[in-house]
Amino acid sequence: MNPITYLCFTLLSIVIQFCLMDFINEQIRVDNTVINSNSTVVKNSSDIFDTIKQKPHALYYRKDKNELQIKRSPVKYENESLSETSLTSSTELVSTVFDLLYDENVSVTESDLVTDAYFTSSEFDNVTEITFFDKKPSTEKPTVKPKKISTNECYCNLLYKTCDINCCCDNDCSDLEKSVLKSCEGIGKDKCEIHKKDNLYMCSSHFSCSTQLQSDIFGYLFCIGKVNLPDIRKTIKHMPYALDVDNHLKWHISEKNRTNNMQLTKNRYTTGQPVLLVTKDGIHSLELPMTLTNEYCNSKKTLKFLRNDNIKCYVKLKDLHMLDVIKSYGHTKVASPKESTINSTKLDCTTLHCVNRTFLICDEHRCTEYNNELHEPSCSDSHCNNIGVKVEYEFYCNASLITRVIVKFHVQIISMDLEYVSQEITVKFYMGNNSIESIIKFSGNPGYIKGLPIIVTSLESNRTENFYNTSIGKYNNHILLPSNKDGECVLTNLTHNILKFGHNKRIKCRTHFKHNFTINNGTDGCMNIQTKIDGLYGFSKNIYISPYGNPQGVSDENWISLQNHHKRDIHGEYHRKDANLICYNLVTRIAFTIAYTDTNEANKEINKIISARVDSTTKNISFSIEDLSIVITIDTNFIDASKTTVHEYIEAHFNFHLPKDFFYPSSSSKGSFVTYQNIVLFLCYFVLQIK
Amino acid sequence: MSKMTNVNSSLAYEILLYLNSFYLGMFFVCEIAMGILKAINVSYPENALLTEAGIFCVLCLVEVVRIFLGRRGNLASKKVPVFFSVLLTIPCAVGVCYFLIYQTYILRLEYIWCAVMLMFHALELTFAILFIFTVCKNQQFE
């Protein structure tokens, strides 16, 4: 056989195969038409509560899957999930159930769980998509395209015009600041590092392309369509080759021994280095209490540079961290090594950059500078005053130098009967000199992150612009809710009881009204009471909610109006004889019901609020004038209106579609003429051969 | 008439076997290339790669024998080689099915070329059986 002929035929067969795949690809691309329906979403978002139903059970999804397979429309609509998903506002029902379960003086927080049902429309069970070539996806699953908001779409950039620590994609960080962040060295600018596992989705998913189908012919063909790896793979256990006890981690023998082992460095700070403290005795590392074997503060650890921390543990009153810190008040400084420090032989404030710690004493309402005479903790037989059970460290850095340290003690009165108290210590590092209170914080970038505040405004115009206007005040951008303190409703900025995204919560507390208004008319008295209650509910007449955690680029009409449909008909009767005030239709309970959807693309989670409303429940209440008090309830319900995630794979590997006129060539188009002619010729040849 | 029928059926069979011989060459080269690509990029369980390579070599050998017997029998109008060729079609099809369904990592491209190979098998099997029947029929009359 002639080798050249052989080679030619081989090449021909490869070309035929590739042409075949081109044809398949063309067929797939036809289904990718996207219709922009942003306007429809905006228009329909107000009606979302009327159409959304409770999440159905698994069987429903099975049915839905079948429908998806059979009735798949050739045209893909953006946000089609919104129109199909349905949900009824169940505030009343939920409230009723909560009523039965919970007493007043209790705040309940429930984490919102989202479950995704995974199934494939392919018949293969364990289909995975692994590609050998780094190409773009071809056939995407029907996802909703999020609105483009920011040019700097960095998921860990949550501080406006401030460098977020450990966020390598934050454009606010200078190169110098990035050089301090060790984690950025190997990752590159496009990635961010989030240590918290729950927030991993925030990181850039550039490397997750292996799960996507590939767009062009090479990407498509070189994807692994199926993996048949065995379930249990053999594990080879390496036998110990040497027993070196000294090279294994061990518990420290004593506190003293552990401290001496710590290495103090003269190098400039980088992430993870111990923060130095200059005292009379020399240089030590700044230490924090920690739990070791149980919930009690029974050990210590060093505070590390650019490592945010949160410690909660039980401690005896005399061993409180606050007392340790206050002991060193005035004669200790936080130090950071400078460029020149490395060449110097001695380590003190002449060679190091030293800053004093600013101590602040905070009560429920405000923070004031610590004064030793006024704020020193003191105890009587029954209780102790000025006990800071919560200590907040705020470190402000200029690249590797610590420029300001603020220590906030949240003080309260503690009973002497308590043997142990729960203390909380938080450590936060910030880049820059601006106080964190003056920095605008996003609640996600761009979509909301669970646990961060909902961004609101009451302005009728220029809402986004005003969000960035720091002069308006930090808390004007959030909904403040009262907290329950010993059963009483307390509404302060410092309690930080802000309406947070994804937190399903109930606050129930009693509020007292001082009898300082004269009651001439029952209705006026009731209206006064209602006005005071409204002040606690944390919302004014017109509130607009930002659909995204970063409102940049969101136009005024896209801010979600907080709808309050309840018409108030408050009236009252005042009986002077019994000193009794009866109020009708007093709003004693409100429920924020916020619907959101995950407009995710690839693995990123982009939570967008699509609708919000307030439901009110009224009651007829009879007050005694001597005791004007009422229990109010505030519920927050977050409803995930996203459609259950359906992972679709290309099912038709052999999705050959013969032209309609293949068997009946005369019925249609001109393009089939050549094929028809070929078939006729082939048949003629075949018949002639037979003869 | 019967003679002509015999000739025609063997012609189609011959065309198929002829094309299949080229296709087998391509299949062999591409599958080896793909195996190298997979061996470099993905990790295999112990011995899986060797097993697959072994099965593939056996498959190619059997396929060569099958095509050879088929062509010899067809050109010489002998039914016995064609009968063995038909018998060998079964292990060949099983081998191709293994690569289509059960091998450790199946690429989309492999779906295609294994399917084409199976198509060849199916068509050849049909024409081979037709050929055998025709030959038997002719012998009966002669």
Side-chain angles (χ1 to χ4, degrees):
Chain A
M1 197 180 292
N2 189 348
I4 298 168
T5 320
Y6 190 90
L7 192 67
C8 288
F9 270 97
T10 309
L11 285 171
L12 185 71
S13 56
I14 294 170
V15 169
I16 290 167
Q17 286 204 13
F18 275 62
C19 292
L20 199 67
M21 283 319 303
D22 256 343
F23 172 71
I24 294 169
N25 258 16
E26 284 301 316
Q27 289 294 315
I28 292 158
R29 276 177 196 151
V30 167
D31 296 345
N32 277 346
T33 322
V34 177
I35 288 178
N36 191 340
S37 62
N38 268 347
S39 56
T40 322
V41 175
V42 173
K43 195 181 164 188
N44 295 336
S45 63
S46 60
D47 304 328
I48 192 78
F49 292 107
D50 301 329
T51 53
I52 295 174
K53 288 175 190 164
Q54 292 284 4
K55 277 197 171 177
H57 53 77
L59 288 173
Y60 176 86
Y61 288 115
R62 286 182 189 283
K63 183 171 173 283
D64 197 41
K65 180 195 169 190
N66 293 333
E67 283 175 5
L68 190 78
Q69 286 172 332
I70 297 159
K71 297 175 186 174
R72 187 179 298 152
S73 165
V75 183
K76 190 175 76 174
Y77 294 94
E78 268 191 39
N79 298 342
E80 63 183 352
S81 60
L82 300 185
S83 58
E84 285 182 26
T85 326
S86 55
L87 175 150
T88 49
S89 166
S90 58
T91 316
E92 292 304 315
L93 176 68
V94 171
S95 304
T96 318
V97 174
F98 276 138
D99 259 355
L100 293 170
L101 291 175
Y102 301 103
D103 197 359
E104 64 179 277
N105 307 343
V106 179
S107 292
V108 185
T109 311
E110 174 202 341
S111 62
D112 190 23
L113 298 171
V114 182
T115 52
D116 286 347
Y118 292 90
F119 52 84
T120 67
S121 58
S122 164
E123 61 182 351
F124 302 111
D125 290 327
N126 51 349
V127 178
T128 52
E129 311 292 341
I130 303 168
T131 179
F132 294 126
F133 299 97
D134 190 22
K135 303 283 178 185
K136 286 179 183 174
S138 76
T139 47
E140 298 163 355
K141 63 172 186 168
T143 51
V144 183
K145 278 195 172 180
K147 187 178 173 180
K148 287 280 171 199
I149 289 182
S150 168
T151 47
N152 177 21
E153 207 171 78
C154 173
Y155 294 85
C156 47
N157 177 14
L158 299 177
L159 299 176
Y160 180 61
K161 285 187 178 173
T162 304
C163 173
D164 290 67
I165 62 163
N166 295 326
C167 182
C168 306
C169 55
D170 189 352
N171 288 345
D172 300 321
C173 298
S174 65
D175 288 341
L176 188 66
E177 283 167 338
K178 278 184 184 175
S179 68
V180 181
L181 307 172
K182 250 185 182 175
S183 50
C184 292
E185 287 169 7
I187 299 171
K189 286 181 181 177
D190 293 338
K191 287 211 81 182
C192 62
E193 187 199 338
I194 301 295
H195 293 289
K196 217 175 163 187
K197 267 189 177 176
D198 296 344
N199 291 339
L200 273 175
Y201 57 83
M202 294 202 300
C203 282
S204 172
S205 58
H206 289 169
F207 294 95
S208 62
C209 56
S210 58
T211 57
Q212 296 295 315
L213 300 174
Q214 307 299 302
S215 74
D216 60 338
I217 188 99
F218 276 103
Y220 183 85
L221 291 176
F222 289 94
C223 267
I224 289 183
K226 193 184 177 188
V227 176
N228 289 318
L229 282 170
D231 290 336
I232 302 161
R233 295 182 69 174
K234 194 177 172 185
T235 312
I236 301 163
K237 286 184 181 174
H238 293 288
M239 296 302 287
Y241 51 87
L243 189 64
D244 188 359
V245 177
D246 293 334
N247 280 341
H248 287 79
L249 293 171
K250 288 174 289 188
W251 294 104
H252 54 262
I253 298 160
S254 66
E255 289 292 318
K256 197 179 174 186
N257 191 8
R258 184 178 61 84
T259 316
N260 288 342
N261 283 340
M262 193 199 62
Q263 297 285 319
L264 296 178
T265 175
K266 290 178 184 178
N267 295 329
R268 287 163 65 101
Y269 281 139
T270 52
T271 312
Q273 278 191 8
V275 173
L276 303 178
L277 199 65
V278 179
T279 63
K280 283 177 186 172
D281 310 330
I283 291 194
H284 304 280
S285 64
L286 215 161
E287 291 191 326
L288 300 174
M290 65 176 276
T291 60
L292 197 67
T293 50
N294 46 30
E295 296 293 311
Y296 294 90
C297 308
N298 43 18
S299 187
K300 285 188 175 178
K301 66 175 177 181
T302 52
L303 193 153
K304 290 178 178 169
F305 186 66
L306 295 187
R307 290 264 192 258
N308 291 343
D309 212 342
N310 185 278
I311 303 151
K312 274 182 185 174
C313 56
Y314 293 104
V315 68
K316 280 185 179 174
L317 212 55
K318 66 181 176 61
D319 296 330
L320 268 170
H321 181 63
M322 182 224 187
L323 302 177
D324 283 345
V325 178
I326 284 175
K327 268 182 213 165
S328 60
Y329 177 66
H331 51 81
T332 54
K333 287 180 178 179
V334 174
S336 11
K338 297 186 282 190
E339 288 277 4
S340 55
T341 312
I342 199 157
N343 300 323
S344 57
T345 48
K346 63 170 186 175
L347 284 175
D348 57 18
C349 280
T350 55
T351 54
L352 296 162
H353 179 266
C354 295
V355 283
N356 280 319
R357 288 180 288 179
T358 309
F359 291 169
L360 298 178
I361 291 284
C362 303
D363 58 12
E364 285 160 6
H365 302 281
R366 63 199 171 96
C367 291
T368 49
E369 199 155 336
Y370 178 77
N371 184 326
N372 220 353
E373 290 170 6
L374 288 173
H375 301 120
E376 196 170 24
S378 58
C379 289
S380 66
D381 292 341
S382 60
H383 62 271
C384 289
N385 282 320
N386 293 330
I387 299 296
V389 287
K390 187 178 176 187
V391 182
E392 273 185 75
Y393 283 93
E394 284 177 10
F395 290 87
Y396 292 89
C397 313
N398 180 9
S400 60
L401 291 181
I402 297 172
T403 51
R404 194 150 59 109
V405 181
I406 294 172
V407 186
K408 288 180 184 172
F409 303 111
H410 293 267
V411 294
Q412 59 185 66
I413 298 166
I414 300 284
S415 167
M416 285 294 281
D417 297 336
L418 295 172
E419 196 179 346
Y420 286 93
V421 289
S422 169
Q423 72 170 351
E424 184 179 358
I425 297 146
T426 54
V427 179
K428 279 179 182 168
F429 283 86
Y430 301 105
M431 283 288 178
N433 289 323
N434 293 336
S435 171
I436 190 63
E437 275 81 19
S438 63
I439 296 170
I440 294 161
K441 294 180 209 62
F442 301 126
S443 298
N445 200 347
Y448 275 105
I449 295 170
K450 281 173 187 163
L452 295 183
I454 299 281
I455 294 169
V456 299
T457 184
S458 55
L459 298 167
E460 290 299 326
S461 60
N462 296 331
R463 291 168 192 149
T464 303
E465 288 76 11
N466 281 300
F467 170 77
Y468 294 99
N469 187 357
T470 47
S471 65
I472 286 177
K474 168 186 167 188
Y475 290 106
N476 281 3
N477 290 327
H478 304 312
I479 294 181
L480 276 177
L481 302 173
S483 9
N484 184 321
K485 192 169 179 269
D486 302 328
E488 299 275 331
C489 296
V490 181
L491 187 64
T492 70
N493 285 347
L494 283 175
T495 50
H496 295 290
N497 204 355
I498 296 167
L499 182 63
K500 288 177 181 167
F501 183 79
H503 279 196
N504 289 336
K505 197 171 183 179
R506 158 161 289 198
I507 299 162
K508 207 168 181 181
C509 56
R510 182 173 286 275
T511 180
H512 291 269
F513 310 104
K514 287 174 189 168
H515 184 36
N516 56 0
F517 50 89
T518 49
I519 301 170
N520 302 319
N521 181 327
T523 302
D524 289 347
C526 293
M527 294 291 269
N528 272 332
I529 289 171
Q530 187 60 62
T531 312
K532 286 180 193 299
I533 294 172
D534 285 348
L536 290 168
Y537 285 153
F539 72 95
S540 55
K541 202 173 183 183
N542 294 320
I543 282 192
Y544 299 94
I545 296 177
S546 165
Y548 293 103
N550 178 2
Q552 190 181 341
V554 179
S555 57
D556 279 352
E557 63 268 20
N558 285 335
W559 284 69
I560 313 291
S561 170
L562 187 64
Q563 299 161 24
N564 188 357
H565 295 301
H566 191 79
K567 286 178 184 172
R568 293 184 172 185
D569 180 24
I570 299 165
H571 58 277
E573 294 168 9
Y574 180 53
H575 304 282
R576 284 182 191 279
K577 233 184 200 177
D578 318 327
N580 218 9
L581 176 70
I582 301 167
C583 292
Y584 298 98
N585 299 327
L586 214 55
V587 179
T588 58
R589 178 202 310 271
I590 63 156
F592 293 95
T593 309
I594 295 168
Y596 68 95
T597 183
D598 179 11
T599 57
N600 66 324
E601 194 178 76
N603 294 331
K604 299 167 191 171
E605 189 176 294
I606 302 169
N607 291 313
K608 179 190 177 185
I609 290 178
I610 50 171
S611 186
R613 78 174 196 187
V614 178
D615 291 303
S616 317
T617 311
T618 56
K619 252 184 182 177
N620 300 334
I621 293 174
S622 172
F623 295 99
S624 166
I625 292 297
E626 279 75 42
D627 177 30
L628 279 176
S629 71
I630 187 173
V631 174
I632 61 162
T633 309
I634 300 164
D635 296 334
T636 50
N637 304 313
F638 285 85
I639 296 161
D640 185 1
S642 344
K643 212 175 176 184
T644 309
T645 311
V646 177
H647 293 271
E648 278 193 64
Y649 296 93
I650 292 182
E651 55 185 306
H653 297 283
F654 305 108
N655 192 12
F656 305 113
H657 294 288
L658 289 172
K660 282 176 187 172
D661 53 356
F662 186 78
F663 294 108
Y664 307 100
S666 57
S667 63
S668 76
S669 69
K670 27 189 174 170
S672 62
F673 179 72
V674 180
T675 320
Y676 169 65
Q677 204 176 26
N678 290 341
I679 292 165
V680 170
L681 279 172
F682 180 75
L683 286 172
C684 290
Y685 172 76
F686 208 73
V687 169
L688 283 170
Q689 287 292 318
I690 292 166
K691 282 177 181 175
Chain B
M1 179 69 192
S2 62
K3 243 182 183 179
M4 290 305 287
T5 310
N6 183 15
V7 170
N8 281 319
S9 69
S10 67
L11 177 66
Y13 187 35
E14 178 64 21
I15 291 168
L16 280 169
L17 286 170
Y18 185 72
L19 288 176
N20 198 358
S21 64
F22 290 107
Y23 188 80
L24 177 66
M26 187 222 68
F27 184 78
F28 183 76
V29 171
C30 292
E31 193 66 46
I32 282 178
M34 205 57 81
I36 293 166
L37 188 70
K38 285 192 278 188
I40 292 166
N41 285 288
V42 289
S43 62
Y44 275 82
E46 206 182 20
N47 293 330
L49 191 62
L50 273 178
T51 312
E52 279 174 25
I55 292 171
F56 180 68
C57 288
V58 172
L59 169 69
C60 287
L61 276 175
V62 176
E63 187 76 6
V64 167
V65 174
R66 184 185 71 84
I67 293 170
F68 176 74
L69 286 174
R71 290 191 74 181
R72 278 294 292 271
N74 187 32
L75 291 171
S77 291
K78 287 179 181 173
K79 62 186 174 189
V80 180
V82 178
F83 177 72
F84 279 109
S85 176
V86 168
L87 283 184
L88 286 178
T89 309
I90 297 162
C92 285
V94 169
V96 175
C97 283
Y98 172 83
F99 284 99
L100 185 70
I101 302 164
Y102 295 113
Q103 69 165 317
T104 313
Y105 298 103
I106 310 163
L107 270 74
R108 294 217 166 111
L109 200 57
E110 286 175 310
Y111 279 130
I112 299 159
W113 62 48
C114 285
V116 173
M117 185 63 107
L118 279 177
M119 254 161 52
F120 270 117
H121 286 168
L123 287 170
E124 280 163 16
L125 187 70
T126 314
F127 282 102
I129 291 167
L130 271 175
F131 171 75
I132 290 169
F133 279 141
T134 318
V135 170
C136 290
K137 207 176 168 185
N138 286 344
Q139 276 179 350
Q140 206 177 359
F141 282 110
E142 282 164 7

